[in-house]
Amino acid sequence: MTMRAATITTNTDQSVAVANQLRPVLLHLNRHLRREAQTQGISAGQISLLASIESHRGTGVKELADREGMAAPSVCTAVDRLQAAGYVTRERESTGDRRRVGLATTPQGSALLRRVRSRRTAWLAERLQALTDEERASIAAAVDALSALVTQR
Amino acid sequence: MTMRAATITTNTDQSVAVANQLRPVLLHLNRHLRREAQTQGISAGQISLLASIESHRGTGVKELADREGMAAPSVCTAVDRLQAAGYVTRERESTGDRRRVGLATTPQGSALLRRVRSRRTAWLAERLQALTDEERASIAAAVDALSALVTQR
DNA sequence: TTCATTAGTTAGCATATATAATCATCTCGA
DNA sequence: TCGAGATGATTATATATGCTAACTAATGAA
């Protein structure tokens, strides 16, 4: 196999090139996804917390903070607001470690989460619809790899 | 061509399925991209404004607000901070419409922007590197379609 | 049993972003 | 051409977000 220096493309080079194209796209798509939350009267950050509480029913404030990469006091006040809005419940542990509180979504919280997810999915699906079959197929073929991107380690 | 109802997959169904897989991945990737800005001592929002000013040298506050989907006063105070930090300049229009101000990045602002972009690209590229060749190829093949997703209309 | 650690919270601060109000300038129609 | 309404920027004010530091209560280990 012969390669001229000028046309060598290493995995690293390709990764950087793809990363450079991917970066603005990710940022742009996300701006819209964040906005879809706001049309439902909640911020993207609150939805992210709500989702994490839903998928880890009974989680504590510290645990949640670590999972979300936030400081515990920030989560504490955010949960205050979610609770005041009727989206989550806080229940002090009675058996076991009585310092902990258990967080859980209310039916209203779960419903809001479903609504936001559905709006976001709809927004994305609408845009996917407007692509050519080939374009859509290429994205469908890449979805698993993209998922691997975030679950690796 | 025969199709059993249970296995029919329309473009719409496929789009929704892909959208559903894509949604959490986009949100997750973005959380990290936002964080890379913060390691450089600036918020993701400020970087977004800075980028928009850089690519539209001389833009006004209202124009910028519309482009970013923000309210003009929000942009105004954000620009206050960017200016105080030495990243942008505000220059009142002397010829033409004297209500307008022209915004532009300083060399320090451009340097910061390059730094954040480079960190974000590096973070993404590092993760792409850890994929298999096939996975990486599938993402590379989808990048143009993903770009089309945000530039359509 | 006492003391360091841990979970949750409160206090105080900076940032972010919104709406309403204000000021200056511009534009257009009578 | 001039005055009324529109427009760009800003200020004032309020709320949400997120941080560190300090505090409280409960745990657990020497």
Side-chain angles (χ1 to χ4, degrees), chain A residues 71-86:
Chain A
S74 307
V75 169
C76 191
T77 58
V79 168
D80 284 348
R81 279 188 293 273
L82 286 172
Q83 188 179 19

Side-chain angles (χ1 to χ4, degrees), chain A residues 131-141, chain B residues 141-142 145:
Chain A
L131 299 179
T132 64
D133 287 349
E134 291 72 29
E135 287 173 327
R136 195 165 39 253
S138 75
I139 292 178

Side-chain angles (χ1 to χ4, degrees), chain B residues 32 54 95:
Chain B
H32 287 281
E54 170 115 326
T95 70

Side-chain angles (χ1 to χ4, degrees), chain A residues 31-85:
Chain A
R31 188 143 54 224
H32 287 281
L33 294 186
R34 294 178 74 83
R35 219 159 271 165
E36 288 302 321
Q38 280 157 1
T39 67
Q40 300 304 301
I42 193 165
S43 72
Q46 295 266 302
I47 281 295
S48 178
L49 285 177
L50 197 59
S52 189
I53 292 169
E54 170 115 324
S55 63
H56 296 84
R57 177 159 289 258
T59 192
V61 169
K62 181 68 186 346
E63 230 177 72
L64 180 54
D66 288 347
R67 216 167 34 242
E68 292 289 300
M70 291 172 65
S74 307
V75 169
C76 191
T77 58
V79 168
D80 284 348
R81 279 188 293 273
L82 286 172
Q83 188 179 19

Side-chain angles (χ1 to χ4, degrees), chain B residues 61-62 73 76 90 99 101:
Chain B
V61 169
K62 181 69 187 347
C76 192
R90 243 194 193 103
R99 288 170 305 180
V101 298

